[in-house]
Amino acid sequence: MNDEIIKEIKQLKEDKNAIILAHNYQPKEIQEIADFIGDSLELCLKAADVDDVDIIVFCGVNFMAETAAIICPDKKVLLPDNRANCQMADMISLEELKAAKEAHPECEVVLYVNSRAETKSEADIICTSANAAKVVESLNSDNFIFAPDHNLGVYSAKLTGKDAIIVPEDGHCYVHTIFKPEDVQKARSEYPDAKIVVHPECPEDVKELADYVESTGGMVRLAKDPDIKQLVVGTEIDLTTRLKRENPDKEFIPLRKDAFCLTMKLVTLEKIRDSLADEKYVVEVDEEIASKARVGIERMLNLSK
Ligand code: 13P
Ligand code: SF4
């Protein structure tokens, strides 16, 4: 059954000159058919770099597909399931961000890429979990407004020694805030030889107990380190799927088995086939919003070159 659908996807990709990009949290069967898998930054860089395709099928959540649509206005960006939302991205509204800017006109605005296109249009610069500290370092101001992930805001302020005004106060990812210091302590006693890596969206007290704090792309690179044979992984469950596939001789242990992003799993092989066949669901960003949002995204991408 899957073989037949995969054949159809390959044919449709060829007929329509399309490419499939997938986030690291996508399930195994999607990772296997993707042309490129990555973290949010790597996916942005890839989208900015693909000149010779007409369609990008984005297997991830809507803010990622919107970012690709903003960077590639000449391409059709498709989201196989238009309900694939990131809860965190909706935690900051345009009004709230504008109010913070008015209250702190001296601050530049760093917006986490996990946000909607219209809020991005009010940002000075975008960041991802892979480059937040580098982005904050690059600012001209000592204080900055950060939205919407509280934990990443606190962490980037701590790494750079700058002060963050974080809006809203409780912006978070429901997947990463389930991790507790006890989970790290338990993993340490159960796997004394293992290293422990967690995502920056985890709470500060969890990050403090881990050996490494990395974006999902950073975790993929860390797993390839020859000194690491056993790694406890504090992020969404399917990151270990990629790590195991790429490093079959090593052991990867999820820090919690219930760290599951529901909307990341809405994409299926059938939906990718239908998405390509019917060219749905097209991700459209109003050009006025997109042109403003592009400024902050490009400023970030220039730092990564
Ligand atoms: P990465 O950019 O590290 O892949 O993170 C994206 C994300 O949504 C984490 O929950
Ligand atoms: Fe959003 Fe959290 Fe899912 Fe990442 S894991 S896409 S931040 S809800």
Side-chain angles (χ1 to χ4, degrees):
M1 171 70 175
N2 272 3
D3 288 352
E4 193 50 43
I5 301 174
I6 291 168
K7 228 165 99 186
E8 287 179 67
I9 292 174
K10 285 188 177 152
Q11 189 60 52
L12 282 160
K13 257 181 26 177
E14 211 177 297
D15 296 348
K16 305 221 171 187
N17 192 26
I19 189 173
I20 300 177
L21 304 187
H23 185 263
N24 287 325
Y25 295 159
Q26 287 293 297
K28 184 168 177 281
E29 64 280 11
I30 309 294
Q31 293 191 16
E32 282 169 358
I33 55 121
D35 295 294
F36 182 82
I37 319 172
D39 69 10
S40 311
L41 179 62
E42 292 160 345
L43 290 167
C44 281
L45 287 163
K46 187 70 188 174
D49 194 43
V50 283
D51 290 333
D52 49 351
V53 300
D54 297 315
I55 293 181
I56 297 176
V57 180
F58 210 107
C59 303
V61 288
N62 55 6
F63 76 82
M64 297 175 177
E66 268 181 7
T67 308
I70 293 168
I71 304 171
C72 312
D74 54 330
K75 294 183 181 59
K76 202 176 255 187
V77 177
L78 303 175
L79 195 57
D81 188 315
N82 61 358
R83 297 166 303 165
N85 191 26
C86 164
Q87 277 188 19
M88 187 204 286
D90 290 320
M91 287 182 186
I92 177 77
S93 69
L94 186 62
E95 292 68 34
E96 241 173 324
L97 190 59
K98 280 184 173 168
K101 284 173 73 165
E102 262 172 48
H104 305 281
E106 74 290 358
C107 291
E108 283 185 280
V109 177
V110 180
L111 199 69
Y112 190 26
V113 71
N114 296 37
S115 54
R116 301 309 302 262
E118 64 170 9
T119 35
K120 283 193 179 75
S121 72
E122 284 292 322
D124 292 299
I125 187 162
I126 305 303
C127 77
T128 74
S129 66
N131 64 13
K134 192 172 178 181
V135 164
V136 172
E137 285 290 2
S138 78
L139 301 176
N140 302 315
S141 58
D142 282 339
N143 299 349
F144 60 104
I145 294 171
F146 191 94
D149 186 32
H150 182 89
N151 290 336
L152 185 61
V154 169
Y155 187 59
S156 13
K158 185 174 153 187
L159 291 183
T160 58
K162 297 197 180 199
D163 286 329
I165 293 143
I166 303 173
V167 280
E169 269 184 29
D170 57 353
H172 68 282
C173 163
Y174 75 94
V175 180
H176 288 91
T177 44
I178 61 167
F179 292 107
K180 301 278 174 287
E182 301 82 83
D183 297 322
V184 182
Q185 283 150 354
K186 188 163 167 271
R188 282 249 186 260
S189 65
E190 277 180 28
Y191 305 98
D193 298 329
K195 293 290 183 195
I196 302 180
V197 62
V198 301
H199 195 271
E201 289 174 12
C202 291
E204 205 48 37
D205 50 5
V206 170
K207 293 201 284 273
E208 272 165 12
L209 291 175
D211 298 306
Y212 309 94
V213 178
E214 294 286 354
S215 71
T216 63
M219 291 179 187
V220 169
R221 285 186 291 281
L222 180 67
K224 294 189 178 5
D225 182 332
D227 292 338
I228 289 183
K229 308 275 185 257
Q230 204 183 32
L231 189 63
V232 176
V233 183
T235 191
E236 210 272 343
I237 191 83
D238 267 314
L239 197 268
T240 52
T241 305
R242 177 167 179 192
L243 301 184
K244 281 179 192 156
R245 209 160 45 82
E246 293 183 357
N247 309 274
D249 300 334
K250 299 187 178 189
E251 191 183 2
F252 300 102
I253 305 126
L255 184 56
R256 284 181 71 118
K257 292 199 176 84
D258 56 351
F260 189 84
C261 179
L262 286 164
T263 47
M264 277 281 178
K265 313 304 170 191
L266 287 172
V267 181
T268 61
L269 289 175
E270 287 87 342
K271 287 181 197 168
I272 294 177
R273 178 203 49 208
D274 296 347
S275 169
L276 275 164
D278 303 339
E279 301 194 11
K280 65 180 185 187
Y281 297 90
V282 181
V283 179
E284 278 168 313
V285 182
D286 173 86
E287 186 41 40
E288 204 182 319
I289 291 174
S291 65
K292 287 197 209 156
R294 208 172 286 129
V295 176
I297 297 171
E298 280 173 359
R299 192 170 157 195
M300 168 186 80
L301 293 179
N302 285 337
L303 282 180
S304 306
K305 280 180 184 160

PDB file of all heavy atoms in Angstrom, residues 27 34 60 84 105 123 185-186 193 196-197 210 213 225 244 253 265 301:
ATOM      1  N   PRO A  27       7.090  11.984  11.129  1.00  0.00           N
ATOM      2  CA  PRO A  27       7.202  10.533  11.348  1.00  0.00           C
ATOM      3  C   PRO A  27       8.120   9.863  10.323  1.00  0.00           C
ATOM      4  O   PRO A  27       8.407  10.426   9.259  1.00  0.00           O
ATOM      5  CB  PRO A  27       5.759  10.043  11.180  1.00  0.00           C
ATOM      6  CG  PRO A  27       4.903  11.223  10.967  1.00  0.00           C
ATOM      7  CD  PRO A  27       5.739  12.438  10.796  1.00  0.00           C
ATOM      8  N   ALA A  34      11.276  12.328   2.119  1.00  0.00           N
ATOM      9  CA  ALA A  34      11.600  13.762   1.963  1.00  0.00           C
ATOM     10  C   ALA A  34      12.890  13.949   1.162  1.00  0.00           C
ATOM     11  O   ALA A  34      13.790  13.114   1.213  1.00  0.00           O
ATOM     12  CB  ALA A  34      11.748  14.397   3.339  1.00  0.00           C
ATOM     13  N   GLY A  60       5.473  19.871   7.834  1.00  0.00           N
ATOM     14  CA  GLY A  60       5.810  20.483   9.113  1.00  0.00           C
ATOM     15  C   GLY A  60       4.573  21.206   9.591  1.00  0.00           C
ATOM     16  O   GLY A  60       3.454  20.766   9.305  1.00  0.00           O
ATOM     17  N   ALA A  84      -2.353  21.886  10.329  1.00  0.00           N
ATOM     18  CA  ALA A  84      -1.061  21.700  11.012  1.00  0.00           C
ATOM     19  C   ALA A  84      -0.574  23.030  11.589  1.00  0.00           C
ATOM     20  O   ALA A  84       0.168  23.787  10.956  1.00  0.00           O
ATOM     21  CB  ALA A  84      -0.034  21.108  10.046  1.00  0.00           C
ATOM     22  N   PRO A 105      10.394  51.635  23.077  1.00  0.00           N
ATOM     23  CA  PRO A 105      10.838  52.019  21.722  1.00  0.00           C
ATOM     24  C   PRO A 105      12.350  51.881  21.521  1.00  0.00           C
ATOM     25  O   PRO A 105      12.831  51.842  20.387  1.00  0.00           O
ATOM     26  CB  PRO A 105      10.390  53.476  21.594  1.00  0.00           C
ATOM     27  CG  PRO A 105      10.148  53.942  22.988  1.00  0.00           C
ATOM     28  CD  PRO A 105       9.820  52.753  23.817  1.00  0.00           C
ATOM     29  N   ALA A 123       8.658  42.584  13.307  1.00  0.00           N
ATOM     30  CA  ALA A 123       9.936  42.267  13.972  1.00  0.00           C
ATOM     31  C   ALA A 123      11.115  42.943  13.277  1.00  0.00           C
ATOM     32  O   ALA A 123      11.064  43.213  12.078  1.00  0.00           O
ATOM     33  CB  ALA A 123      10.150  40.759  13.950  1.00  0.00           C
ATOM     34  N   GLN A 185      17.254  13.863  36.119  1.00  0.00           N
ATOM     35  CA  GLN A 185      17.901  13.116  37.225  1.00  0.00           C
ATOM     36  C   GLN A 185      17.681  11.606  37.066  1.00  0.00           C
ATOM     37  O   GLN A 185      18.602  10.805  37.239  1.00  0.00           O
ATOM     38  CB  GLN A 185      17.339  13.593  38.570  1.00  0.00           C
ATOM     39  CG  GLN A 185      17.939  14.930  38.985  1.00  0.00           C
ATOM     40  CD  GLN A 185      16.990  15.775  39.834  1.00  0.00           C
ATOM     41  OE1 GLN A 185      15.834  15.409  40.034  1.00  0.00           O
ATOM     42  NE2 GLN A 185      17.479  16.912  40.314  1.00  0.00           N
ATOM     43  N   LYS A 186      16.472  11.231  36.686  1.00  0.00           N
ATOM     44  CA  LYS A 186      16.149   9.805  36.503  1.00  0.00           C
ATOM     45  C   LYS A 186      16.990   9.210  35.356  1.00  0.00           C
ATOM     46  O   LYS A 186      17.565   8.119  35.487  1.00  0.00           O
ATOM     47  CB  LYS A 186      14.650   9.683  36.188  1.00  0.00           C
ATOM     48  CG  LYS A 186      14.131   8.286  36.156  1.00  0.00           C
ATOM     49  CD  LYS A 186      12.589   8.318  36.273  1.00  0.00           C
ATOM     50  CE  LYS A 186      11.972   6.977  35.923  1.00  0.00           C
ATOM     51  NZ  LYS A 186      11.648   6.793  34.529  1.00  0.00           N
ATOM     52  N   ASP A 193      26.282   6.370  31.721  1.00  0.00           N
ATOM     53  CA  ASP A 193      27.313   6.648  30.702  1.00  0.00           C
ATOM     54  C   ASP A 193      26.800   7.532  29.566  1.00  0.00           C
ATOM     55  O   ASP A 193      27.567   7.909  28.677  1.00  0.00           O
ATOM     56  CB  ASP A 193      27.821   5.324  30.098  1.00  0.00           C
ATOM     57  CG  ASP A 193      28.467   4.455  31.169  1.00  0.00           C
ATOM     58  OD1 ASP A 193      29.027   5.032  32.119  1.00  0.00           O
ATOM     59  OD2 ASP A 193      28.352   3.223  31.066  1.00  0.00           O
ATOM     60  N   ILE A 196      23.311  13.832  27.887  1.00  0.00           N
ATOM     61  CA  ILE A 196      21.909  14.281  27.827  1.00  0.00           C
ATOM     62  C   ILE A 196      21.836  15.619  27.090  1.00  0.00           C
ATOM     63  O   ILE A 196      22.541  16.568  27.429  1.00  0.00           O
ATOM     64  CB  ILE A 196      21.314  14.425  29.247  1.00  0.00           C
ATOM     65  CG1 ILE A 196      21.407  13.064  29.981  1.00  0.00           C
ATOM     66  CG2 ILE A 196      19.868  14.938  29.197  1.00  0.00           C
ATOM     67  CD1 ILE A 196      20.863  13.057  31.398  1.00  0.00           C
ATOM     68  N   VAL A 197      20.993  15.657  26.060  1.00  0.00           N
ATOM     69  CA  VAL A 197      20.805  16.899  25.307  1.00  0.00           C
ATOM     70  C   VAL A 197      19.329  17.285  25.363  1.00  0.00           C
ATOM     71  O   VAL A 197      18.458  16.422  25.307  1.00  0.00           O
ATOM     72  CB  VAL A 197      21.298  16.742  23.834  1.00  0.00           C
ATOM     73  CG1 VAL A 197      20.519  15.675  23.059  1.00  0.00           C
ATOM     74  CG2 VAL A 197      21.245  18.078  23.086  1.00  0.00           C
ATOM     75  N   ALA A 210      21.179  19.483  31.959  1.00  0.00           N
ATOM     76  CA  ALA A 210      21.576  18.699  30.777  1.00  0.00           C
ATOM     77  C   ALA A 210      23.046  18.933  30.440  1.00  0.00           C
ATOM     78  O   ALA A 210      23.663  19.896  30.904  1.00  0.00           O
ATOM     79  CB  ALA A 210      20.696  19.103  29.598  1.00  0.00           C
ATOM     80  N   VAL A 213      22.557  21.837  25.202  1.00  0.00           N
ATOM     81  CA  VAL A 213      21.287  22.439  24.797  1.00  0.00           C
ATOM     82  C   VAL A 213      21.415  22.702  23.299  1.00  0.00           C
ATOM     83  O   VAL A 213      22.317  23.441  22.872  1.00  0.00           O
ATOM     84  CB  VAL A 213      21.025  23.763  25.554  1.00  0.00           C
ATOM     85  CG1 VAL A 213      19.719  24.398  25.091  1.00  0.00           C
ATOM     86  CG2 VAL A 213      21.010  23.525  27.058  1.00  0.00           C
ATOM     87  N   ASP A 225      28.902  12.735  16.664  1.00  0.00           N
ATOM     88  CA  ASP A 225      30.189  12.834  17.372  1.00  0.00           C
ATOM     89  C   ASP A 225      30.655  11.425  17.757  1.00  0.00           C
ATOM     90  O   ASP A 225      29.934  10.699  18.445  1.00  0.00           O
ATOM     91  CB  ASP A 225      29.968  13.691  18.639  1.00  0.00           C
ATOM     92  CG  ASP A 225      31.250  13.900  19.434  1.00  0.00           C
ATOM     93  OD1 ASP A 225      32.139  13.030  19.356  1.00  0.00           O
ATOM     94  OD2 ASP A 225      31.339  14.921  20.134  1.00  0.00           O
ATOM     95  N   LYS A 244      18.289   7.521  15.046  1.00  0.00           N
ATOM     96  CA  LYS A 244      18.495   6.064  14.936  1.00  0.00           C
ATOM     97  C   LYS A 244      18.745   5.665  13.485  1.00  0.00           C
ATOM     98  O   LYS A 244      19.576   4.807  13.206  1.00  0.00           O
ATOM     99  CB  LYS A 244      17.265   5.313  15.457  1.00  0.00           C
ATOM    100  CG  LYS A 244      17.210   5.244  16.968  1.00  0.00           C
ATOM    101  CD  LYS A 244      15.958   4.512  17.428  1.00  0.00           C
ATOM    102  CE  LYS A 244      15.767   4.710  18.917  1.00  0.00           C
ATOM    103  NZ  LYS A 244      14.400   4.565  19.375  1.00  0.00           N
ATOM    104  N   ILE A 253      17.874   7.556  23.538  1.00  0.00           N
ATOM    105  CA  ILE A 253      16.794   7.310  24.491  1.00  0.00           C
ATOM    106  C   ILE A 253      15.981   8.599  24.639  1.00  0.00           C
ATOM    107  O   ILE A 253      16.537   9.635  25.035  1.00  0.00           O
ATOM    108  CB  ILE A 253      17.384   6.916  25.870  1.00  0.00           C
ATOM    109  CG1 ILE A 253      18.315   5.713  25.710  1.00  0.00           C
ATOM    110  CG2 ILE A 253      16.295   6.626  26.898  1.00  0.00           C
ATOM    111  CD1 ILE A 253      19.682   5.902  26.261  1.00  0.00           C
ATOM    112  N   LYS A 265       2.138  15.480  13.335  1.00  0.00           N
ATOM    113  CA  LYS A 265       1.820  14.132  12.848  1.00  0.00           C
ATOM    114  C   LYS A 265       0.599  14.118  11.928  1.00  0.00           C
ATOM    115  O   LYS A 265       0.094  13.054  11.581  1.00  0.00           O
ATOM    116  CB  LYS A 265       1.570  13.165  14.020  1.00  0.00           C
ATOM    117  CG  LYS A 265       2.578  13.224  15.125  1.00  0.00           C
ATOM    118  CD  LYS A 265       4.017  12.994  14.677  1.00  0.00           C
ATOM    119  CE  LYS A 265       4.954  13.324  15.822  1.00  0.00           C
ATOM    120  NZ  LYS A 265       6.341  13.395  15.461  1.00  0.00           N
ATOM    121  N   LEU A 301      18.923  35.315   7.923  1.00  0.00           N
ATOM    122  CA  LEU A 301      19.615  34.408   6.995  1.00  0.00           C
ATOM    123  C   LEU A 301      20.999  34.946   6.638  1.00  0.00           C
ATOM    124  O   LEU A 301      21.947  34.173   6.478  1.00  0.00           O
ATOM    125  CB  LEU A 301      18.776  34.177   5.733  1.00  0.00           C
ATOM    126  CG  LEU A 301      17.462  33.405   5.944  1.00  0.00           C
ATOM    127  CD1 LEU A 301      16.694  33.263   4.636  1.00  0.00           C
ATOM    128  CD2 LEU A 301      17.706  32.027   6.544  1.00  0.00           C
TER     129      LEU A 301
END
